[in-house]
Each structure stands twice: as structure tokens, then as C-alpha cells.
Amino acid sequence: MDTQNCFHCGLDIVKEAEIIFDEKTFCCNGCKTVYEIFSFNDLTSYYDFAKSPGATPQENKGKYDFLDNENIVSKLLEFQEATTAIVSLSIPHIHCSSCIWILENLQRLQKGINTSQVNFPEKKVRITYNSEEVSLSEIVNLLNSIGYEPYISLENYETQKQNIDRSLTYKLGVAFFCFGNIMLLSFPEYFEVKEFWLDNYKPFFRWLIFALALPSFFYSASGYYVSAYKSMKSGMLNIDIPIALGIIVMFIRSLVDIVFDYGPGFFDSLTSLIFFMLLGKMFQIKTYSFLSFERDFKSYFPVAVTRINTDFSEESIAIYDVQKGDRLLIRNQELIPVDGILISEKAAVDYSFVTGEAIPINKNSGDKIFAGGKQIGKVIEMEVLFSVSQSYLTQLWSNDVFQKNVEQKHKSITDSISRYFTPILLLIAFVGFGYWIFIDANTAFNVFTAVLIVACPCALALTAPFTLGNVLRIVGKQKFYLKNALVIEQLAKVDTLVFDKTGTITTNKKSNISYEGKALSEGNLIRIKSVLRGSNHPLSRMLYDFLPNGSTVNINEFEEITGKGIQAKVVDSFIKIGSAAFTGKTEEKTVLQTSVHIQINNEYYGKYVFKNQYREGLEKLFKSLKNNYQIKVLSGDNAGEKAALEQLLPKGTELIFNQKPEQKLEFIKQLQDSGKNVMMVGDGLNDAGALAQSNVGISISENVNVFSPACDAILEASQFQKLNYFLKLSKKAMLVIKMSFGLSLLYNVVGLTFAITGNLEPLVAAIIMPLSTITIVSFVTVMSNYYARKLGARS
């Protein structure tokens, strides 16, 4: 019978069973329906990415009815608040770029789906949807109807995530077994032993070697054949094509040698080739896994949270020490680090970290609150339901909503080279074969195979991710936490540095504070301290620590107004704490100092004057930065400390005072419009807009659980003096990438030169190929570690 392929899934279909629609042939109504869905929603460009990329949809027949049960759905959801819900689904069928494209355009197929993001390595899609407009069961049925049935098992949902694919290990084991035994059996051929019994049994040993080569050829190397076939089918040439071609040619040639008794063939070289290539692939995977492990589990957020002990004392603890049952104190603008139950009467929570939407959601006592929310308003207390998951917090911070559009220069170079690499490599191989076939057929086959095997862009493709990944790990250990590896590339481009003053170049740990004004009663001091307890502003934290300890009182109608101050109703009093203008005090123009003013029941009392303590090493840091960068200091305070700063900072440092948050953002924008590449360093409170606008936004953390989701990096305050070291290291990382590019290309040029001239055996080529990858990875690791130590010694 005549057969042809289904336009959607690519399966063979019998002529008599074909379904024709829109001048295209389908194997079943399911595939035809999927095509109709895509056509109706103007998504037929799905088929432009690959030929026949889809899968045949399965009949579910009520298979997902259990998703109508709210209790079951709540266990599957990552987040559910108001109308917003987020779920991560495992999709085993994800296999190519067209899969990614259609799964990231689900909002065009189903009303109520807001965004969908694919994690290709883990074969998952993370869907954010409106639970009032669409249910989880409708989403799952939609996925099933277009051929992307999700894997959902309530019994082993967690364990399924931990499944490890060991197929590469099995293939490597089989390849090693075949390679070792064939080498052993080939010794008489190597040494040309002419013993009677060996000569007599030579055909037997050759056919035994052939039999031992079969598992390696058909099983161990199968991944290369499948990848090459899919690549050719989609019209895109990947590097597995020349590798698969080289293996097949070597196998056929060796078989011909044995059948016609031309010689022993090259089964020893063939099995060793497969073994060494799989070994190189295993090395790559293990190294990637190592970098991923470092990122997910060791690069913890440098944040702390306040725990309330059984004796009602408060202590600051590391975020990963939080345990189930702990009672936590969450101040205004602090990130909720864990899922828990609200104990306080009311709370307003901003879930912009999770959803990208900054509209606060009101919660009442007893309600569940999710990790990743930011508490807005008066201080609250909560009880922990689950211990913190650092990888989850990293995931929230890296939410695509907050990613900046960054040109990945080195990635584009690698992509460009890889795109033309395979066609050029195939051309060289066939030209070399064509030249040598008229001189020496044996050499011609050696040249053809060696060329296909020795040149590989794998090492080239690995230079940037391994260099940046290693630097990411190095700076993470030194308490400089980057959102992703691309931030390193951005740091290397920076030419202008903008610093916030309060809480950034000044520290909230040390400050001389004095009070000027009417005497405050003990009751008023308790009220003021209770109001300050809910604020995270550096001056609020300093003043809170300065005031005497005492009992706390309930706060009502707490509000912190960015750039102005705090106002709150405390028992029978209305208190304002903040700037002079905010509290109704008109200061004389000659009085220039950092101060916090107090107003109680519309009566101005006085002010707390701060003599700020600047961070240790500030003068040395700015002096070293001045040589390579333009430095500017922005402050929301008045110019009271201008003279002190001018003495402390290098000449020419631009000092700008009385800046509101929106003015800081506009200042950054003007610098960028003039062609500057700006890095902003702030405390994450009044600087959130400026941090988001800058090319690189760094939030200083002083054991306070506050930073903007739009910041690109978090620097623990104790490491502030190392800022120049981190900037220099980022430039050295780019240098290492360039050097490794050159080394990788040199490897390929030298290897191809020896191969094309017939001076490189396929076995040696097979060893050189993974060796080049190992060399490049070792080179970038050693060099990035070397520069880290060298620059660190100078700092």
C-alpha cells in the first residue's frame, strides 16, 4: 500500500485511511482538529519551526475529572491568590522549538491564560492564569487536545520530579564493554602474529569483533542517529549529522573489509570513538549539573527574617534556618519567605514577585499567605507552614516579568558560528574524500571519518556558559548574588556608577543620634518605637535600635509614604515621623543635617539628628573606582553632609540632594539617553524605580529582607568595599571567554589540518574531540579562578 506522512505529527498513514483538509493530509481526526485550532487562532507558524512537529492528541474520556476537586487542585498549584493561580506542569512531549513556541502562546488559544513559560531542559511549562475565567482542568484538556498531554500523578507527583535519566550511563557502559573487549581481541591483528592457530581462527575473531561492535553501533550511538534524523527532517543541520555520518561510514567500510577479507576493519576505532564521545557528553552534563546545583542550593538570598521567640523576644535569623511552626515578624516592604498563616488581624500583601502585578491583596487573620509576597503596611506576625525553599525564591526573583532586554553578544557569536559549522564541515569532509580517493582509498576513508569527528563546536558553545557560571559561583560565595549569568556581561559594560546615600554609602549599624526639641514622655517614646518597628527605612531602623526597649502597643492605619515618612494611629494618638515638611516644620535654610522629625496629634515635638557613619572602606573604594568610572551620588536628604562627602569622596564626584524617587529614576534615564551604561546601587526601598531603569541594579542588603524584584543583584552590606573587585572580575570573565573562543577555534583548525592531510587516524580524532571539550572547560575554570584570586589579593 502507498503511505505518506501526517502533516501534523509525521506518522505514516495508509492511503485508504488518510483525511484531507485544507489541501493537507492527516492520519486522524485528532491531528486534523489540532491543525484547525491553530488555523482558527492564526498559529499555523507553529509548522514553520519544524516539519511535522506535533503529537497525536489522546482521547481523555474524563481522565482529568479529578481536577474539578478544589482540594486536589490546591496541592498541584504553586500559587493561588484572588483570581491569580500558577501551576507548573510536566510535558514529556516537549522536544523542539515549535513545542516551545506553541506552549508559550497558550493565551492565544484559551481566554484566561495570562502567561506560559517553558523550561525546556526539565520539559515543564509554568502557566499563570485567571482562575475565574478558566479552570485547571480546562487548561489540561486544552494541552491534551493539541498533543501535549501533561504528566499528573498525585501519588508520585513529587517523586516524578526527581526521576533521573540514566540512559546515557547505560549507553556509556555498553560502549565501554564493547570497546574493551574488541581492543583485547584485536591484539593479534595489531602485532601481526603469524601463529598457525591464530591465522586459522582469524575469520572467527573478526566476526566475533563484528558481533561485539553491534550493541555499541545500534544502542550506544543511537542518540546521534535520532538527533541527526530530526535535524535533517526540520531542515536544520546540527553537529550530530557529521558525527552520525562518520560512525555509519566507518561501520559500513569495516563490514566490507571483513566480508571481502580486505582486513580486520575499524571496529576498534569505531567503538572507541563512540565511547570517548559519550564520555565527553557525560562530562558536559555533569559539569552543567554541578553549576546548576551551586546556583540553586548554595547561592542563598542574603536576607534574614525576624523570629519571635517563646519569651516574646525578637532575633534576626538566617532565612534558611526558618522551621515549620516558627512565628515570624514581617515589617513593611519585607518579603514573606515561606508559606504560612496570618496571625495578625489584617495585612496587605503585594505579590509582584510572583505575578508581576503590584496591586496589594488584603488578608485577614487565619488566611494563608504565600512565599514571595511583599508585606505592605504595619508590622504583621505569621506562623510558618513549610520551611523555606531557596530554589523557589531564586525562581521568583528570576521571574521573566522582571527580566531586562539584554543583548547577548557572545551567545549571538556562538549561534552564528554553530549555524554555518556543520555545512562547512561536511563540505571539507567530502572535498578531502574526493581528493584522496584517487590517491589512496584507505587514506580517503580515514580523512573523511577523521574530519567529521575531530571538528566540533561543542567546546566553542561551552565557553560562555561555563565561564559565566563559574564566576556566578565565585561571587556568590563572596555574598554578591546575581540574578543570572547575563548580569556579569552587563557589569563588564558599565561606565557610570550611581550611588544612593542613605543606607547605601551610609550604614544603619553605626550612627550618632541626638534629640532636639520638646521632651518626650515614656508613653510617647513607646508609641514612636512601636511605629518605627514596622518600617524598614535605614533611618527608621537606626532610630528604632537607638530608642530604649519597652513594651509595644497596637498600631492602626499604618502608612509609609515613600520619600516622606510614616504616619500611624497608635491607641489615642496620631503620629507622623519623617521629613520636616511632612511633619509641618519649616526649617531654617542654614540648618543642613540628616534628621527625622516627630509630630504627635498635629503638634510638632522635635527632631532626632543623625551624624551618619559611612561604610568602612568607602573612601578607598571610590578612589579606585574614579579611575575607570564616572561616579554620582543621589540622596533624598538635604545637603547637610555635602561638605563631609566632598572631603571623603574623590574630586569631581557629582553630589545631588533632595531627590524624590521619581527624580532618581529620571536622572538614570537621562544618563542612559546620553549614551551611558549605568549601574545603580541602592537599598531597594526608595530606589526601586531607579534600580529597574538602570542597566544593572544592585540592592544593598544589611540583614534586612527587603529588595526590589527588578534588581539584578543583591550585595551583602559587609562586602560593599569589594564592589570594584566584582566589576574588574566581570571584565576578566569577558576576557576569558574571548581567549577560550580563540583556543577552541585553534583546536578545530589544527585538528582539521592534520585530518585533511591524512595524518590523523579516526581513533585519535575520537580522543581529541572530547579532550578539546575537557580542555576548554578546564581552561575557563582555571582562568576565572586565577583572576578571582589575583584580583582578590589586590583588593
Side-chain angles (χ1 to χ4, degrees):
M1 291 187 215
D2 293 333
T3 61
Q4 54 184 317
N5 299 110
C6 174
F7 179 76
H8 176 71
C9 71
L11 293 176
D12 291 338
I13 48 179
V14 180
K15 183 75 175 173
E16 291 76 9
E18 68 181 8
I19 297 172
I20 298 174
F21 176 77
D22 198 16
E23 299 181 356
K24 294 172 177 63
T25 308
F26 300 93
C27 64
C28 64
N29 279 314
C31 288
K32 170 179 163 282
T33 303
V34 175
Y35 174 79
E36 284 185 275
I37 292 171
F38 291 166
S39 299
F40 181 76
N41 292 278
D42 195 25
L43 292 172
T44 50
S45 49
Y46 167 73
Y47 299 100
D48 295 340
F49 289 88
K51 186 179 178 182
S52 306
T56 306
Q58 304 297 315
E59 291 290 333
N60 58 51
K61 295 180 181 178
K63 182 178 178 181
Y64 298 110
D65 287 350
F66 66 90
L67 293 177
D68 293 326
N69 186 315
E70 290 185 9
N71 291 328
I72 294 175
V73 169
S74 65
K75 293 177 181 177
L76 298 176
L77 294 179
E78 281 184 7
F79 176 85
Q80 185 177 28
E81 197 61 77
T83 60
T84 302
I86 299 176
V87 65
S88 284
L89 297 172
S90 177
I91 312 286
H93 184 67
I94 297 176
H95 70 284
C96 65
S97 54
S98 54
C99 301
I100 297 172
W101 185 80
I102 195 65
L103 290 172
E104 291 193 342
N105 281 277
L106 291 177
Q107 70 275 9
R108 293 167 66 179
L109 292 176
Q110 177 65 58
K111 183 183 178 184
I113 295 178
N114 300 324
T115 60
S116 50
Q117 301 163 8
V118 172
N119 183 332
F120 185 75
E122 294 185 13
K123 296 189 182 297
K124 289 181 183 177
V125 59
R126 190 168 187 256
I127 301 170
T128 304
Y129 65 96
N130 186 321
S131 55
E132 286 189 352
E133 293 184 359
V134 64
S135 67
L136 180 59
S137 62
E138 288 176 305
I139 292 173
V140 170
N141 282 315
L142 168 68
L143 289 168
N144 186 69
S145 70
I146 60 173
Y148 292 96
E149 182 182 12
Y151 175 91
I152 302 176
S153 171
L154 293 178
E155 290 181 2
N156 60 352
Y157 193 72
E158 288 299 320
T159 56
Q160 188 269 338
K161 295 178 183 179
Q162 300 168 1
N163 283 346
I164 299 170
D165 184 4
R166 292 189 173 86
S167 60
L168 180 59
T169 307
Y170 300 147
K171 288 177 180 178
L172 187 63
V174 170
F176 179 69
F177 173 81
C178 298
F179 161 57
N181 282 282
I182 289 173
M183 291 294 284
L184 188 65
L185 292 169
S186 298
F187 272 116
E189 297 276 7
Y190 295 154
F191 298 109
E192 296 183 352
V193 179
K194 298 295 184 180
E195 295 290 340
F196 167 77
W197 71 275
L198 285 175
D199 268 350
N200 218 25
Y201 285 98
K202 189 179 285 184
F204 169 77
F205 281 111
R206 286 179 177 177
W207 284 107
L208 180 59
I209 288 171
F210 167 73
L212 281 169
L214 292 177
S216 182
F217 177 74
F218 285 108
Y219 174 66
S220 296
S222 59
Y224 294 106
Y225 311 143
V226 172
S227 176
Y229 172 71
K230 287 182 177 178
S231 174
M232 290 187 292
K233 195 175 177 182
S234 64
M236 298 171 65
L237 302 180
N238 68 12
I239 190 57
D240 287 335
I241 292 174
I243 293 173
L245 186 60
I247 293 171
I248 293 168
V249 167
M250 192 181 287
F251 179 82
I252 294 172
R253 183 199 166 190
S254 300
L255 183 58
V256 169
D257 281 357
I258 291 179
V259 171
F260 294 99
D261 198 24
Y262 293 152
F266 296 89
F267 289 115
D268 51 351
S269 298
L270 174 67
T271 51
S272 64
L273 165 69
I274 295 169
F275 170 69
F276 283 113
M277 286 194 302
L278 291 176
L279 195 64
K281 185 180 283 189
M282 177 70 80
F283 177 79
Q284 292 174 28
I285 292 172
K286 289 293 182 185
T287 313
Y288 267 127
S289 299
F290 168 75
L291 291 175
S292 176
F293 178 85
E294 288 284 333
R295 179 72 188 138
D296 288 344
F297 297 97
K298 293 187 180 177
S299 294
Y300 293 122
F301 277 14
V303 291
V305 67
T306 303
R307 181 171 64 191
I308 302 173
N309 297 319
T310 52
D311 60 356
F312 298 103
S313 62
E314 299 173 6
E315 68 169 327
S316 184
I317 63 168
I319 196 169
Y320 41 85
D321 288 338
V322 172
Q323 300 296 325
K324 181 180 179 180
D326 284 351
R327 180 173 284 204
L328 304 181
L329 182 82
I330 311 293
R331 298 181 181 86
N332 181 43
Q333 296 291 323
E334 277 192 354
L335 191 72
I336 298 168
V338 290
D339 292 353
I341 300 295
L342 179 65
I343 295 174
S344 300
E345 185 182 356
K346 289 182 180 179
V349 184
D350 167 10
Y351 281 110
S352 58
F353 256 103
V354 185
T355 64
E357 298 292 333
I359 302 170
I361 293 172
N362 294 319
K363 310 296 291 184
N364 296 314
S365 181
D367 286 350
K368 184 178 180 180
I369 48 180
F370 291 89
K374 186 182 282 187
Q375 203 278 116
I376 305 294
K378 65 179 183 177
V379 65
I380 64 167
E381 294 181 14
M382 63 172 286
E383 184 174 322
V384 176
L385 285 178
F386 308 105
S387 59
V388 70
S389 166
Q390 291 301 336
S391 56
Y392 178 63
L393 289 181
T394 305
Q395 177 185 321
L396 292 179
W397 187 28
S398 301
N399 193 329
D400 280 1
V401 175
F402 311 115
Q403 299 301 320
K404 296 175 182 177
N405 292 323
V406 176
E407 181 191 357
Q408 301 177 46
K409 184 179 177 183
H410 297 287
K411 187 175 186 298
S412 60
I413 292 172
T414 306
D415 289 345
S416 299
I417 294 173
S418 298
R419 187 179 305 132
Y420 300 109
F421 196 95
T422 299
I424 292 171
L425 183 61
L426 290 171
L427 180 63
I428 293 171
F430 282 107
V431 168
F433 180 80
Y435 172 79
W436 281 103
I437 195 67
F438 297 107
I439 301 171
D440 182 358
N442 193 51
T443 304
F445 278 103
N446 276 348
V447 166
F448 184 76
T449 310
V451 167
L452 291 175
I453 299 305
V454 73
C456 178
C458 301
L460 189 72
L462 289 173
T463 55
F466 273 93
T467 305
L468 299 178
N470 194 44
V471 171
L472 195 73
R473 182 181 60 83
I474 290 168
V475 298
K477 285 184 174 179
Q478 299 186 57
K479 301 179 181 178
F480 185 40
Y481 304 90
L482 306 183
K483 180 179 284 186
N484 52 50
L486 293 179
V487 179
I488 299 168
E489 194 168 341
Q490 286 299 97
L491 281 170
K493 298 176 184 176
V494 167
D495 54 32
T496 305
L497 308 179
V498 178
F499 292 86
D500 174 50
K501 183 177 81 71
T502 307
T504 302
I505 65 173
T506 65
T507 173
N508 61 13
K509 296 295 184 185
K510 302 172 184 176
S511 184
N512 296 324
I513 304 174
S514 59
Y515 177 72
E516 298 175 5
K518 298 178 186 176
L520 291 163
S521 66
E522 185 180 345
N524 281 335
L525 286 173
I526 290 172
R527 291 181 178 90
I528 292 168
K529 182 154 185 167
S530 297
V531 173
L532 292 169
R533 184 174 180 236
S535 172
N536 259 308
H537 191 278
L539 294 180
S540 299
R541 301 310 309 144
M542 282 188 270
L543 187 53
Y544 178 82
D545 292 335
F546 172 77
L547 293 175
N549 291 324
S551 58
T552 57
V553 290
N554 290 331
I555 306 294
N556 298 310
E557 300 175 16
F558 178 99
E559 184 181 7
E560 188 162 8
I561 303 169
T562 302
K564 294 183 179 180
I566 317 164
Q567 61 184 27
K569 190 172 182 182
V570 188
V571 192
D572 55 348
S573 302
F574 186 74
I575 296 176
K576 280 189 172 185
I577 305 171
S579 65
F582 182 64
T583 54
K585 170 67 175 177
T586 305
E587 284 197 289
E588 298 176 16
K589 291 184 179 180
T590 55
V591 180
L592 294 173
Q593 53 195 196
T594 301
S595 53
V596 170
H597 299 258
I598 308 294
Q599 182 198 85
I600 302 176
N601 291 330
N602 296 319
E603 181 184 350
Y604 180 82
Y605 270 71
K607 62 184 177 182
Y608 285 94
V609 180
F610 294 75
K611 186 178 179 183
N612 282 316
Q613 178 75 35
Y614 294 101
R615 293 199 184 278
E616 189 178 339
L618 178 68
E619 188 175 0
K620 182 182 176 183
L621 171 66
F622 273 53
K623 194 174 289 184
S624 62
L625 289 171
K626 186 65 180 174
N627 298 326
N628 301 306
Y629 304 95
Q630 287 187 26
I631 304 176
K632 304 176 189 299
V633 176
L634 297 180
S635 176
D637 295 338
N638 56 44
E641 295 183 56
K642 184 175 182 179
L645 282 169
E646 284 177 337
Q647 284 188 340
L648 189 65
L649 304 180
K651 287 184 180 179
T653 303
E654 188 175 358
L655 303 172
I656 305 163
F657 296 92
N658 299 305
Q659 293 292 292
K660 295 177 181 177
E662 57 271 20
Q663 290 174 313
K664 291 180 182 180
L665 188 152
E666 189 58 36
F667 181 80
I668 299 290
K669 198 171 181 182
Q670 286 175 3
L671 286 173
Q672 290 172 324
D673 291 342
S674 65
K676 301 295 182 185
N677 210 300
V678 184
M679 182 177 88
M680 170 74 185
V681 187
D683 59 16
L685 285 167
N686 300 338
D687 316 308
L691 289 171
Q693 178 63 41
S694 61
N695 299 90
V696 180
I698 298 178
S699 179
I700 296 288
S701 172
E702 197 146 26
N703 288 328
V704 177
N705 196 359
V706 177
F707 55 91
S708 165
C711 74
D712 301 294
I714 307 167
L715 177 63
E716 193 163 287
S718 61
Q719 304 299 306
F720 179 74
Q721 69 275 13
K722 287 188 176 181
L723 202 53
N724 192 36
Y725 162 76
F726 295 129
L727 286 165
K728 284 182 178 178
L729 185 57
S730 66
K731 290 183 188 249
K732 292 297 183 184
M734 296 301 108
L735 177 62
V736 170
I737 290 174
K738 289 173 185 174
M739 288 192 295
S740 56
F741 268 171
L743 184 61
S744 178
L745 289 172
L746 180 64
Y747 241 118
N748 284 321
V749 169
V750 171
L752 282 172
T753 302
F754 277 94
I756 201 74
T757 55
N759 294 314
L760 188 66
E761 291 291 326
L763 174 59
V764 180
I767 296 172
I768 288 175
M769 182 186 166
L771 192 62
S772 66
T773 301
I774 293 170
T775 305
I776 291 296
V777 170
S778 301
F779 173 78
V780 299
T781 304
V782 169
M783 290 304 297
S784 52
N785 287 340
Y786 165 74
Y787 283 125
R789 284 194 301 270
K790 184 179 177 182
L791 294 172
R794 291 178 183 175
S795 299

